[in-house]
Amino acid sequence: MNILEFLQQPWPWYVAGPLIGLTVPALLILGNKSFGISASLRHVCAACMPAKIPFFNYDWKKEVWNLFFVLGIFIGGILTANWLMNPQAINIHPNLVTELSGYGINDYSALVPTQLFNWESLFTARGLIMMIGGGFLVGFGARYAGGCTSGHAIMGISTLQWPSLVATCCFMAGGFFMANVILPFILSL
């Protein structure tokens, strides 16, 4: 197996997990920084909005490292999508295939079903609810919880913060409820 084939395969948990986990001590040791992605939107708004909105009125330049971190994630995503995609079909559990075929989803050639996530679907009730409504709820939830899943589940829990444990439990409960109760209703639209 050459290096390209190795990079195209899913990394095992015992490699990817520690790599993600090591970002916490690295950020703390290198500059007493907290890991989180949702705060970067606040930094961008603070940098770009000339209005004197109190929430955006702070020294965002102290957190510019976070913007470079998010830019690196974005560039990494582009590089991966163009040169490191695994050409093999996505392996889906047969029970899930049966359930999704009932909703008209049968194309598993991409990481997300193309019948759900494409420009034509965006202008349907199902697409508007999933992409626009879902995006709004994720943003609202991250703001309401005081951070996103990466900030709370990775950084907050590892630094023994009680609010992060509560937020992560709520994220998980909401995800289970969404996947098992609300999503089947949305997919049937």
Side-chain angles (χ1 to χ4, degrees), residues 13-30:
W13 64 268
Y14 52 84
V15 173
L19 286 175
I20 293 169
L22 288 173
T23 60
V24 172
L27 286 170
L28 291 173
I29 291 168
L30 293 175

Side-chain angles (χ1 to χ4, degrees), residues 32-113:
N32 200 24
K33 303 292 184 188
S34 291
F35 178 70
I37 301 301
S38 60
S40 60
L41 179 60
R42 181 181 183 207
H43 304 324
V44 168
C45 291
C48 297
M49 294 182 108
K52 297 294 180 190
I53 300 170
F55 184 69
F56 299 126
N57 195 9
Y58 68 97
D59 187 12
W60 60 270
K61 292 177 184 173
K62 288 183 180 177
E63 301 298 326
V64 74
W65 72 272
N66 190 269
L67 298 176
F68 285 106
F69 185 78
V70 171
L71 181 65
I73 292 172
F74 179 73
I75 291 171
I78 291 172
L79 294 175
T80 301
N82 287 311
W83 291 289
L84 295 178
M85 289 295 293
N86 190 338
Q88 299 174 4
I90 306 298
N91 188 12
I92 306 292
H93 193 276
N95 293 348
L96 182 59
V97 169
T98 302
E99 183 179 347
L100 290 177
S101 65
Y103 299 115
I105 300 167
N106 52 23
D107 182 7
Y108 306 109
S109 60
L111 290 176
V112 294

